[in-house]
Amino acid sequence: EVQLQASGGGLVQAGGSLRLSCSASGFTFDEYAIGWFRQAPGKEREAVSCINISDGSTFYGQSVAGRVTISSDSAKKSVYLQMSSLNAEDTAVYYCAAIRPYGRNWYLAWHVAGEYDYWGQGTQVTVSS
């Protein structure tokens, strides 16, 4: 059974930092890319970041570039999202998802939620101002 377990969310003050974790099981971890998305109430799901496990290539959304770092640990089948300089606009439910990176241009769609094969449940991040 495929499982993606996101954790690490919580309440943090503006300007603070938080590290989210995504633990994967039930599929060949190294053959996938893992992405983070977020969704705030009344807003569309937004791509935050993605990492291709096999080659370590990373991608970031414009709204978070420079404030987040994505990393992975193949031994633990986990992906991490380190977020800093958080503000109220970062408040959302954060989801991790897995996409199979077919073809060398797969990364052009890293930000498209519909391209992902598996999704985990979300973890709530709330930034207080």
Side-chain angles (χ1 to χ4, degrees):
E1 179 188 4
V2 172
Q3 285 194 337
L4 289 164
Q5 183 84 25
S7 61
L11 177 64
V12 62
Q13 287 190 331
S17 299
L18 208 58
R19 189 175 89 148
L20 305 183
S21 299
C22 176
S23 177
S25 63
F27 61 96
T28 307
F29 185 72
D30 290 353
E31 293 181 357
Y32 280 77
I34 303 297
W36 285 96
F37 289 77
R38 67 185 183 184
Q39 189 164 21
K43 294 189 177 181
E44 292 190 356
R45 192 164 293 193
E46 176 190 14
V48 176
S49 183
C50 181
I51 183 168
N52 187 354
I53 303 302
S54 63
D55 66 11
S57 54
T58 58
F59 310 92
Y60 296 96
Q62 272 191 321
S63 63
V64 300
R67 298 190 298 118
V68 305
T69 302
I70 192 169
S71 60
S72 66
D73 185 334
S74 290
K76 295 182 179 180
K77 296 186 179 180
S78 294
V79 170
Y80 308 99
L81 188 71
Q82 179 69 47
M83 304 188 294
S84 60
S85 301
L86 289 164
N87 57 65
E89 293 183 349
D90 296 314
T91 295
V93 178
Y94 285 70
Y95 300 88
C96 59
I99 180 172
R100 193 82 182 266
Y102 288 114
R104 61 181 181 176
N105 291 330
W106 76 272
Y107 66 93
L108 296 175
W110 79 265
H111 61 288
V112 180
E115 294 293 319
Y116 283 73
D117 302 301
Y118 308 118
W119 288 83
Q121 93 297 347
T123 186
Q124 175 72 47
V125 172
T126 303
V127 183
S128 63
S129 55

